[in-house]
Amino acid sequence: MNKQNTPVSLYKEVSYKEEKPSVTVLLETSSTKEIRICLAEGVIMTDHKSPFPIVIHIQDGSIILNVAGVIHNMEKGDLIGLEGAIMHNLTANKNSIIRLSIHKHDHVQRVQNVININ
């Protein structure tokens, strides 16, 4: 994780696991944590929600995002903001890199817990 005002890359040291998402905290600011999630094709993140608002930005690939029963086919360049407490899940259509922005007071362990129940 980068805390020293130096650039980080979403595309270096990318790792796709066939059985579950790969999560890397890239940096923290005074208001957010920026996380890279790498999903291999077919990998699913089951229903979950955040206590705070989040932003999901597709950096590469494509996913199916189910937000409270509404399906969004998202591809490279697409982003969506979700308020806290909104149930959602996602499935990778192909190898995908997602930039997830979470609130500073949210915990990366929450994201890890979602991955570990898949």
Side-chain angles (χ1 to χ4, degrees), residues 32-101:
T32 68
K33 295 175 186 170
E34 302 299 324
I35 299 170
R36 177 181 60 209
I37 301 174
C38 298
L39 293 169
E41 181 177 351
V43 170
I44 298 169
M45 287 185 73
T46 58
D47 281 343
H48 60 282
K49 56 187 173 182
S50 168
F52 300 100
I54 62 170
V55 175
I56 300 167
H57 186 182
I58 311 307
Q59 298 291 315
D60 197 24
S62 69
I63 66 166
I64 298 169
L65 176 66
N66 179 340
V67 180
V70 177
I71 303 297
H72 301 282
N73 289 298
M74 299 182 65
E75 51 192 43
K76 183 177 180 175
D78 292 344
L79 65 135
I80 188 170
L82 301 180
E83 291 299 324
I86 305 240
M87 191 65 69
H88 59 283
N89 63 60
L90 52 102
T91 304
N93 288 326
K94 56 185 172 181
N95 287 357
S96 299
I97 299 173
I98 299 167
R99 176 182 166 199
L100 175 65
S101 300

